[in-house]
Amino acid sequence: MNIFFDLFYILKGKFSKKKSHEYKFAFLVHSRGYKDIYRKYPKLKLIPKTIVIFIMNHLWPITLSKVTGIYSIKTKEHVKGYVLGIPMTSQEMMSNRDSSLTKIRQALYLARGKGVTIVGLGGLTSSLSAGGKSLLDIDMHVTTGHAYTAYNVTQNLFKLVEIFEMSKEQVRVAVVGAAGSVGSLSVLLIARAGFGSITLIDLKRKDLSELETRVRNMRPDMTVFISHEVKDIKSCNFVITATNTPDALITKELVEDGMVIIDDAQPSDIHPDVLKLENVLVIEAGVVDTPGVKSNFNYGLKSKTDNFCCMTELLILASHGWDKHYIIERATLEHVDEISKMGDDLGFKIASFQNFLESISQQKIEHVKSIIKKNAIHS
C-alpha cells in the first residue's frame, strides 16, 4: 500500500512547487542485483525472474526507510531523512539508460513531494544523470557524494599502507576507472600524499592525458603509467577500483598473491571468486562509521551504523544545513578538504575493514602482510 502513497508524492512533487520549511534530505539508491530485490521482497523468489524484471523495470521509485540519528550542528534538532529506491538492477539501468533517467527524475519528484530539499545520488544514479547535470531543471539541491567517497577510498589506502609498514615509495598503486569522477580525484589525492608510482587504467575512449598532466605537474618525481588493460594491475600491489560497469572486472586470473584491492564500485568490480582467495585482501572502500546514525535499511554492511560514503556526504551536508548544490559532475580537492573536515566534526571515520563476503579479520590482514614482506624481499 505504501508504494501507492509514493506514487501520490511523485505526482505532488512534479506539479507542486510548495517547499517545506523543515530541512529534510533523501539518499537515492537502486538494486545492485537480484539479491537486493529478494532481500527487500522475499516472496518474489517464488516468481520467474523474467516477471520480476518486468515488475522492477515498471515500478516507480519507492520509499525504503527513514534515516535516524542525524542532528543539526546549529540547532541540535533531529534532521529527518529518507532512503529512496529505484527497484531496477544495475544491469537493467545500464541497458535502459533513458528509462533509468526517467526513474531518477521521478525519484527527485518523490523527494520533493515529501518535503525534501537536498538529494544524494547513490550508485549509478550519478553517472546516469551526467553527475546530476540532467536534473538541474528540477527545483532540488543535489550532491553526488564524489568528494567524500574519494576521501575515504584514499584513507583506506593510506591506513593499509601504514598497517603493512610500507613506505609510499614502495607502493605501486593502480586505479581502475581513473578517468571517472571518484577515480580521477583519488589519483590526485594519492599524488598529493607523496606516493611514488601510479598506474591509471580506463577504457580507450576515456582520455587520461589531462589527468596525467595534472599529476606530473603536482608531482614531477612520481612515476605515472597509462593503460587501457585491466590485466596491468598485475604489476601493482595496491589496486583501487572505481568504475560504473555492472559487471565484475577483477577476476582471480588477474590478481597476484599479496595484492590489496580497495573496491569502491557499486555494484562491486570484484568477482566473488577473488574474495575467497586466502592470499588476496579485498576491502569495500566506500563504507563509513557514522556513530548513532542508522539508515534503517539493510545494505549488507557489517554494522547498523555503517553507511556508504556517498550517503555520508549527504548526512554531513544535512547536519550542517546545506541549502544549495554541493557536487555537480566533478568534485575538486577543495571539496575533499572541506567535506572531510565537516565529517571529522561529526566523528565520522572509515569503517572497520569488510567486504560483501566477510568482516576482515586481523589474522587475514597479518597473513597478507607477511606475503607482501616476502614479495618485497624477492623483488
Side-chain angles (χ1 to χ4, degrees):
M1 190 65 183
N2 288 338
I3 64 173
F4 294 104
F5 284 125
D6 286 332
L7 180 59
F8 165 76
Y9 282 119
I10 289 171
L11 296 173
K12 177 184 176 183
K14 184 173 183 178
F15 296 109
S16 173
K17 303 295 182 181
K18 186 178 179 180
K19 292 185 178 180
S20 169
H21 294 290
E22 185 180 8
Y23 189 92
K24 302 187 189 75
F25 62 92
F27 182 57
L28 180 56
V29 299
H30 57 80
S31 302
R32 291 167 292 188
Y34 297 103
K35 285 185 178 179
D36 284 347
I37 293 173
Y38 296 146
R39 187 185 295 126
K40 179 65 178 176
Y41 302 109
K43 292 183 179 179
L44 289 180
K45 292 180 180 180
L46 305 174
I47 300 175
K49 187 175 285 188
T50 53
I51 298 176
V52 173
I53 292 173
F54 179 84
I55 293 172
M56 295 299 106
N57 285 355
H58 290 81
L59 184 62
W60 51 84
I62 57 177
T63 303
L64 296 176
S65 67
K66 291 183 179 180
V67 182
T68 57
I70 193 74
Y71 294 88
S72 167
I73 288 286
K74 293 180 180 178
T75 67
K76 311 302 180 185
E77 294 179 354
H78 183 239
V79 182
K80 296 179 181 179
Y82 302 94
V83 178
L84 307 181
I86 294 173
M88 294 173 71
T89 66
S90 301
Q91 190 74 50
E92 293 298 319
M93 290 184 75
M94 293 299 289
S95 300
N96 303 280
R97 289 172 176 259
D98 290 343
S99 176
S100 299
L101 181 57
T102 297
K103 295 290 176 66
I104 295 168
R105 292 177 63 85
Q106 287 177 345
L108 261 69
Y109 293 137
L110 171 59
R112 188 165 70 177
K114 294 172 79 71
V116 167
T117 57
I118 186 168
V119 173
L121 302 175
L124 298 175
T125 64
S126 174
S127 60
L128 289 171
S129 63
K133 286 171 63 178
S134 301
L135 309 173
L136 295 181
D137 60 308
I138 301 175
D139 187 19
M140 292 286 290
H141 301 131
V142 171
T143 191
T144 61
H146 293 160
Y148 202 64
T149 299
Y151 170 72
N152 280 277
V153 168
T154 51
Q155 285 297 304
N156 274 280
L157 170 65
F158 302 160
K159 184 174 181 179
L160 286 163
V161 168
E162 183 179 332
I163 289 172
F164 293 147
E165 299 174 337
M166 301 174 71
S167 69
K168 294 175 183 178
E169 292 73 21
Q170 288 178 289
V171 177
R172 302 182 305 278
V173 185
V175 178
V176 183
S181 301
V182 172
S184 59
L185 194 54
S186 297
V187 167
L188 296 177
L189 287 166
I190 292 166
R192 188 172 74 172
F195 282 73
S197 171
I198 195 163
T199 299
L200 314 182
I201 302 176
D202 216 313
L203 301 171
K204 286 184 178 180
R205 60 183 174 83
K206 300 289 185 73
D207 184 12
L208 290 167
S209 59
E210 182 180 347
L211 179 61
E212 180 185 13
T213 299
R214 290 188 67 184
V215 171
R216 293 189 185 280
N217 288 340
M218 183 185 292
R219 286 283 315 287
D221 59 329
M222 189 177 197
T223 303
V224 183
F225 300 98
I226 302 295
S227 172
H228 301 295
E229 301 290 339
V230 178
K231 64 181 177 60
D232 287 334
I233 66 172
K234 279 179 169 285
S235 64
C236 300
N237 42 25
F238 283 79
V239 179
I240 290 173
T241 60
T243 80
N244 62 5
T245 177
D247 302 312
L249 294 178
I250 311 299
T251 60
K252 63 180 182 180
E253 294 78 20
L254 298 179
V255 303
E256 301 283 352
D257 286 352
M259 184 177 283
V260 179
I261 304 172
I262 302 170
D263 179 32
D264 176 58
Q266 290 294 335
S268 174
D269 277 336
I270 315 302
H271 193 280
D273 286 348
V274 176
L275 278 74
K276 299 173 184 176
L277 299 175
E278 291 184 5
N279 297 339
V280 175
L281 186 63
V282 180
I283 304 293
E284 187 161 4
V287 187
V288 183
D289 175 28
T290 56
V293 182
K294 297 180 181 179
S295 60
N296 298 299
F297 179 72
N298 185 4
Y299 292 120
L301 301 177
K302 178 181 176 182
S303 169
K304 290 182 179 179
T305 57
D306 284 350
N307 280 294
F308 286 116
C309 295
C310 40
M311 178 175 182
T312 306
E313 181 172 289
L314 178 66
L315 296 174
I316 294 168
L317 297 174
S319 179
H320 285 78
W322 201 265
D323 61 354
K324 54 190 173 185
H325 296 306
Y326 192 63
I327 305 296
I328 298 293
E329 196 175 14
R330 295 273 175 163
T332 65
L333 290 175
E334 289 74 21
H335 283 124
V336 173
D337 294 338
E338 178 180 51
I339 199 71
S340 61
K341 174 62 171 62
M342 293 165 72
D344 289 345
D345 292 342
L346 295 171
F348 294 169
K349 59 183 183 297
I350 58 174
S352 58
F353 296 136
Q354 61 190 283
N355 56 48
F356 60 80
L357 193 66
E358 63 179 348
S359 297
I360 308 298
S361 67
Q362 186 62 34
Q363 183 179 2
K364 176 75 177 276
I365 291 173
E366 290 298 327
H367 176 66
V368 174
K369 180 178 178 179
S370 67
I371 296 172
I372 289 174
K373 286 190 173 183
K374 288 179 183 177
N375 289 345
I377 292 172
H378 294 101
S379 62

